[in-house]
Every structure is written in structure tokens, then in C-alpha cells.
Amino acid sequence: MNWRDLAEHQIQKAKAEGQLDDLAGQGKPLAPHSGDDIVSAGMGIMAEAGVLPREIELKKAVDAQRRVLAAATQADHRKTEMRKLADLEMRLNIEQEARRKFYRTS
């Protein structure tokens, strides 16, 4: 399944579950923007509907893990928390690169 089909499937699923009903600005066209603005607008709409993209969830997890790491004082504990942060950052970078590739090819 390609990214376009996957995105369409997620949109149809959200519609069927009523997650996209009664949103602010429903039925109004989006103002023309650059590619990054469109992505931001799309993510904002999804967030308002309570459907967060994996990229946003990972950004929140990275921020939380940075706070955990900052509070860690013991060397062993810091090392463990640094590994967790590195893993989350890698996953976030993969998600961001996948999004960039999707918009370059669509």
C-alpha cells in the first residue's frame, strides 16, 4: 500500500468514525499556502479532531524524554535515558523523512 492510499484510508476511517464531524471551518476551502504551511494546517486539523500524527506523538515523547534526561543525576541512569532519547529522535527523523519523501513524490 502506498502513502497516498494509506492516507486516504486513514481519512475515510476517521470520517466513518465521525472524528471529522463539526470541525471549525468545515466546508470552507483552505487558503493557498506553501507546502510546509499545508502540512502544518493538515496537522492542525488532525490535532483538533483528536487524531495526532505519529510525528507529533514522537515530538512530544522526545520533549518528555529530554526532561527526564535533564533530571537524571546518576551516570548509569543518564546513559539509559540517553539511549531512550536517541531511539526516539531516530524514530522522529524517520517519520519526518517519510513525510518529506511523500510530499516530494505526490
Side-chain angles (χ1 to χ4, degrees):
M1 179 179 281
N2 65 36
W3 284 106
R4 186 177 299 274
D5 293 340
L6 183 61
E8 185 63 29
H9 174 75
Q10 289 297 97
I11 290 168
Q12 294 305 322
K13 180 180 173 188
K15 278 184 181 179
E17 293 173 355
Q19 294 178 0
L20 302 177
D21 294 343
D22 302 321
L23 296 177
Q26 183 174 347
K28 297 178 184 173
L30 294 175
H33 295 287
S34 70
D36 287 339
D37 290 339
I38 291 171
V39 170
S40 296
M43 288 188 177
I45 291 168
M46 290 174 68
E48 285 179 13
V51 183
L52 289 181
R54 180 79 178 130
E55 186 177 338
I56 300 300
E57 292 174 357
L58 285 168
K59 282 181 181 180
K60 288 181 179 185
V62 165
D63 290 342
Q65 186 60 31
R66 285 186 178 141
R67 287 190 296 275
V68 169
L69 178 59
T73 56
Q74 296 178 344
D76 290 345
H77 188 243
R78 284 189 58 78
K79 193 173 183 178
T80 301
E81 298 306 326
M82 286 170 71
R83 276 193 209 112
K84 290 178 184 177
L85 178 59
D87 180 63
L88 287 168
E89 287 176 335
M90 178 188 65
R91 291 173 188 226
L92 175 59
N93 288 332
I94 290 169
E95 290 288 331
Q96 289 172 332
E97 183 61 24
R99 177 181 44 82
R100 285 185 205 106
K101 284 183 179 178
F102 172 76
Y103 284 107
R104 277 195 303 258
T105 61
S106 55

